[in-house]
Amino acid sequence: SMGIFVIIMAGSSGVFISAFKSYKGAKNVNENLKNAQYAMNLMTKTFRTSTVVSSSLSSVVVYDYSRTSRSCIRYRFLADNLYESKVDALNLASCNSSTIFNGDVVMTSGTVTGSFSAIDSAGGDASDPISTRVGRVTVTMKVTNSNGGTSSSTQIQSTSSLRDYSVSKVGIDINKNPN
């Protein structure tokens, strides 16, 4: 009976260890996912009150109107992390593709890869005088956790409409005096 008991305990301990590793991996992915969702929500709030200055698959630079000190903000995916960099900017013109950012801050935990897809707002100009395209930024993130040879991942995505309506001329009566 002792031999049978030892065999049953050895088999059940292997199952227990496997279940514990799975639980720990899921817990880590969940924690990393919560951090990524927080970063996603923060970026979404910023995008809503910003104008896109430049974008690529791995980064986006925006001029944020919502803060007391106007900021030029860059978000980028680099080396399996999401980074944020800010620089004070007096106006939209001072925030451009040659702006020098320093002090990258890591916004997420775990391994995070992703991409940006940005479309800027288009106002009436000489090439398209009736354009009212409202800009938007789509962020896709893949959060991965490697834990002792097992890897778990999840993907999240968010699209934000830009509220720079004065550029896109949405909701603005051009026949009305702005004063």
Side-chain angles (χ1 to χ4, degrees):
S1 67
M2 280 300 271
I4 293 172
F5 177 74
V6 169
I7 292 171
I8 291 173
M9 290 307 291
S12 62
S13 66
V15 170
F16 176 74
I17 290 171
S18 175
F20 185 72
K21 280 185 179 180
S22 294
Y23 168 76
K24 189 175 177 183
K27 184 178 176 184
N28 288 341
V29 166
N30 189 34
E31 190 64 33
N32 294 341
L33 180 61
K34 285 194 303 188
N35 288 335
Q37 287 173 328
Y38 178 80
M40 181 84 73
N41 289 335
L42 182 65
M43 286 188 299
T44 298
K45 281 178 64 173
T46 301
F47 293 148
R48 285 188 184 139
T49 58
S50 301
T51 296
V52 174
V53 175
S54 66
S55 68
S56 68
L57 280 177
S58 62
S59 72
V60 64
V61 176
V62 296
Y63 179 71
D64 185 16
Y65 294 97
S66 69
R67 301 174 188 190
T68 306
S69 62
R70 309 281 188 205
S71 300
C72 191
I73 302 172
R74 176 181 66 192
Y75 297 105
R76 67 181 175 157
F77 292 102
L78 179 68
D80 294 334
N81 283 307
L82 173 64
Y83 294 93
E84 176 188 52
S85 304
K86 295 180 189 175
V87 117
D88 289 339
L90 297 175
N91 53 36
L92 179 60
S94 64
C95 180
N96 54 49
S97 58
S98 63
T99 300
I100 298 172
F101 292 93
N102 52 22
D104 281 344
V105 176
V106 178
M107 296 181 69
T108 55
S109 60
T111 301
V112 178
T113 56
S115 64
F116 296 99
S117 172
I119 298 173
D120 61 344
S121 298
D125 57 19
S127 64
D128 190 0
I130 59 170
S131 177
T132 55
R133 182 181 74 218
V134 175
R136 66 182 178 275
V137 178
T138 300
V139 183
T140 304
M141 281 192 227
K142 182 177 181 182
V143 181
T144 306
N145 179 59
S146 296
N147 184 19
T150 60
S151 180
S152 304
S153 66
T154 187
Q155 191 164 339
I156 58 176
Q157 179 175 326
S158 178
T159 299
S160 307
S161 294
L162 306 178
R163 292 185 181 165
D164 51 357
Y165 298 136
S166 60
V167 174
S168 63
K169 308 294 186 213
V170 173
I172 297 174
D173 185 355
I174 58 173
N175 298 317
K176 217 177 205 185
N177 186 352
N179 296 328

